[in-house]
Amino acid sequence: MRTILASLFLALVVAGCGRPEAKVDRSLAGTWVLDWGAPDGAQVETKQTIGTDGHWTCHDTFTLSNQVTTSESQGTVEIRDGFLILTVTNRSDRSGAPLPWTSRSLIVRTNDHELVLKDGETEFIYRRQK
């Protein structure tokens, strides 16, 4: 009887891990670009590449007063309860928060060309890179 209950529990756990929403939807896979002005006046270009395998990379370029700085990040991505959840596990800029750290952005809408995320009160519009 214990073996049957243990097997049933394991089957339920494995089935739960395979929820479609927990994986990255193929429509989100690819490279997305965001151009925006930061509060400090910097112009920022963010390129995020989302893989269907749950991996994510990001390249940021910051331009302020003709000074250009770049940053690279890597980690994992998942979709849960309508949120895009990024966990940063590696980054080139070591001056920030300790790793790993996680961000959650509400997915407002998405289609083949546009991904709109909301972080707090701010919406960010990413365009798919061709």
Side-chain angles (χ1 to χ4, degrees):
M1 184 62 141
R2 272 189 180 170
T3 305
I4 294 172
L5 288 176
S7 297
L8 179 60
F9 177 76
L10 181 61
L12 290 172
V13 169
V14 170
C17 291
R19 293 183 328 236
E21 186 182 43
K23 296 178 183 175
V24 176
D25 187 302
R26 291 196 187 281
S27 68
L28 289 182
T31 300
W32 298 90
V33 179
L34 168 70
D35 289 310
W36 62 284
D40 65 359
Q43 283 304 117
V44 182
E45 180 189 73
T46 298
K47 271 188 192 178
Q48 296 195 45
T49 301
I50 299 173
T52 57
D53 63 354
H55 288 90
W56 157 87
T57 60
C58 181
H59 178 80
D60 292 309
T61 302
F62 306 91
T63 305
L64 180 62
S65 301
N66 296 325
Q67 182 178 1
V68 178
T69 306
T70 62
S71 174
E72 301 277 341
S73 302
Q74 299 173 340
T76 59
V77 60
E78 67 178 302
I79 299 169
R80 189 178 337 136
D81 300 327
F83 285 84
L84 183 70
I85 302 169
L86 301 174
T87 301
V88 179
T89 57
N90 188 18
R91 69 169 178 255
S92 62
D93 175 13
R94 299 287 180 195
S95 62
L99 296 176
W101 63 269
T102 301
S103 70
R104 293 171 41 100
S105 299
L106 177 66
I107 300 171
V108 176
R109 69 181 175 276
T110 184
N111 59 39
D112 289 340
H113 310 287
E114 188 177 81
L115 169 62
V116 181
L117 300 175
K118 187 171 185 177
D119 190 357
E121 295 301 314
T122 306
E123 283 190 1
F124 296 98
I125 302 172
Y126 288 82
R127 309 271 186 230
R128 185 182 295 276
Q129 186 175 36
K130 296 177 182 183

